[in-house]
Amino acid sequence: MMNSRIIGTGGYLPERVMSNQDLEKIVETTDEWIVERTGIKQRHIAAEEQSTCDLAEQAARQAIDAAGIAIDSIDMIIVATTTPDRVFPSTACLLQRRLGIHGCPAFDVQAVCTGFIYGLSVADKFIKTGASKRVLVVGAETMSRIVDWSDRTTCVLFGDGAGAVVLEASDQPGILSTHIHADGQYSELLHVPAGVSFHHAEFKSGKIGIQMQGNEVFKMAVNTLGRIVDETLQENGLDKSDIDWLVPHQANERIIKATAKKLRMPMERVVTTVQTHGNTSAASVPLALNVAVRDGRIQRGETLLLEAFGGGFTWGSALIKY
Ligand code: COA
């Protein structure tokens, strides 16, 4: 059976930066509170005319350039997003058009903050079975469009951005395993309680945004991520000390530190971007991966543990020999 290897990474953050001080002017909050509770100092916000597909395209082109491949050799496109440009077609189809690729399958995955791990898992399975050879997996979000900007308990947390990888079939080790889970019974703890066919009028009014029981989500995230770390190591017969880099979902520095502690990993081996990106949902893991690949921290041959937790609840991990 073939393995799938990451042959290129890319990322894109919109130009506009919103600092905690900027947020102090919008809701009753302080830089001190946000930094202490979340670690976030700033986030990027898409320009009015920028869509999720615009962000996805920038990240995708960077990943394709890094991979050094011809665009038309890509034979599958997966976009993980909670904030698609349109109800349909999928953002993946819109991205396919932008990239000038024709005929290959292109579809979106919706697993909120775990979306990229879901996308990676699907892509890996297609490559392992021989059905695909080169897959573009993108996580892209304009969370600023679904945030309730009058709710200080949530609006300080999120940001916009996109990250991407190109996966290629290889006889060398690459993605060692992926693990994805969901439990819909917790859907009300973190959600946008309206959509195309549910509370349609509220949805159309545009007034409904992200709602979250922060404390509950926090506890569930810490416990669940601890469990998935164990599951991933166990399946691969590895020890905590075999992991070179933890590349976690960037929701809250305190959640990241709890997972690192569980892995007995010093924070120097943990990639964190939450301070400057905020929570970019499906984009957060590929953005963090891209940062650490480009600044030279992550080297070929190292073992990476990617993990995420999000609305649904959904959660997942990927163990990668980079
Ligand atoms: N600025 C100032 N005060 C704020 C605030 C803000 N932005 N947001 C909430 N507060 C207040 C609350 O109203 C509360 O006040 P009270 O004690 O008078 O009622 C107090 O701060 C503490 O709120 P609490 O919700 O208990 O804080 P917390 O320590 O749980 O931190 C989160 C809140 C949201 C940062 C934290 O719960 C969290 O990170 N949850 C998980 C978020 C997450 O990861 N979501 C995405 C998963 S993908």
Side-chain angles (χ1 to χ4, degrees):
M1 206 191 305
M2 274 297 182
N3 295 308
S4 53
R5 288 190 79 220
I6 295 175
I7 57 162
T9 68
Y12 177 76
L13 292 158
E15 240 172 73
R16 183 179 161 210
V17 170
M18 187 186 271
S19 67
N20 290 349
Q21 285 77 14
D22 293 330
L23 276 165
E24 287 175 0
K25 294 174 199 142
I26 302 173
V27 286
E28 209 181 314
T29 191
T30 60
D31 172 52
E32 197 189 357
W33 190 96
I34 302 170
V35 172
E36 189 192 306
R37 303 290 174 121
T38 70
I40 300 168
K41 296 190 174 87
Q42 61 163 62
R43 68 289 292 142
H44 291 250
I45 303 292
E48 193 89 31
E49 67 282 2
Q50 263 181 327
S51 73
T52 293
C53 190
D54 292 323
L55 276 49
E57 183 184 358
Q58 299 276 351
R61 287 194 185 278
Q62 210 182 69
I64 293 163
D65 274 356
I69 56 159
I71 287 189
D72 61 6
S73 68
I74 289 168
D75 57 13
M76 177 176 281
I77 300 173
I78 302 175
V79 175
T81 186
T82 315
T83 48
D85 284 29
R86 311 182 191 183
V87 173
F88 71 86
S90 67
T91 306
C93 285
L94 300 176
L95 178 62
Q96 186 187 39
R97 178 168 74 179
R98 298 273 187 95
L99 296 175
I101 306 172
H102 307 277
C104 77
F107 56 92
D108 287 1
V109 168
Q110 216 292 42
V112 205
C113 300
T114 319
F116 179 76
I117 303 284
Y118 267 62
L120 207 61
S121 183
V122 173
D124 179 51
K125 303 287 189 278
F126 269 88
I127 288 178
K128 285 205 164 111
T129 60
S132 305
K133 297 263 177 297
R134 273 186 185 154
V135 185
L136 172 65
V137 186
V138 184
E141 303 278 17
T142 44
M143 297 304 280
S144 61
R145 306 276 157 78
I146 57 166
V147 158
D148 176 351
W149 287 103
S150 66
D151 177 7
R152 68 174 183 173
T153 67
T154 51
C155 76
V156 302
L157 304 174
F158 295 95
D160 300 336
V165 299
V166 177
L167 287 180
E168 184 177 68
S170 169
D171 50 12
Q172 303 296 311
I175 294 183
L176 302 176
S177 70
T178 60
H179 308 259
I180 53 174
H181 299 276
D183 193 340
Q185 73 168 309
Y186 299 108
S187 51
E188 263 82 46
L189 293 182
L190 173 55
H191 63 152
V192 176
V196 177
S197 71
F198 177 72
H199 289 192
H200 180 67
E202 288 93 322
F203 175 64
K204 275 182 97 176
S205 77
K207 286 190 188 122
I208 300 270
I210 297 173
Q211 295 180 9
M212 178 175 66
Q213 307 292 321
N215 266 314
E216 294 305 308
V217 176
F218 188 94
K219 281 182 260 171
M220 285 288 294
V222 169
N223 290 334
T224 310
L225 289 170
R227 280 206 314 274
I228 197 129
V229 163
D230 288 340
E231 177 188 335
T232 311
L233 291 174
Q234 226 165 48
E235 179 165 321
N236 290 280
L238 291 182
D239 188 68
K240 293 178 168 111
S241 59
D242 295 319
I243 308 295
D244 294 306
W245 291 101
L246 175 65
V247 187
H249 171 49
Q250 310 285 322
N252 183 316
E253 203 172 52
R254 290 187 293 148
I255 298 176
I256 296 172
K257 282 183 173 159
T259 310
K261 197 170 161 201
K262 165 109 194 154
L263 272 167
R264 286 195 228 106
M265 285 190 91
M267 286 307 285
E268 297 78 58
R269 307 302 291 177
V270 181
V271 182
T272 61
T273 52
V274 67
Q275 300 86 351
T276 51
H277 297 182
N279 181 350
T280 57
S281 188
S284 101
V285 172
L287 266 170
L289 176 67
N290 181 55
V291 165
V293 164
R294 280 174 191 268
D295 69 21
R297 272 178 288 171
I298 293 179
Q299 294 289 320
R300 284 284 169 204
E302 290 186 317
T303 305
L304 323 179
L305 177 59
L306 278 48
E307 47 86 336
F309 178 90
F313 286 143
T314 56
W315 62 99
S317 66
L319 191 75
I320 298 173
K321 182 68 86 180
Y322 182 68

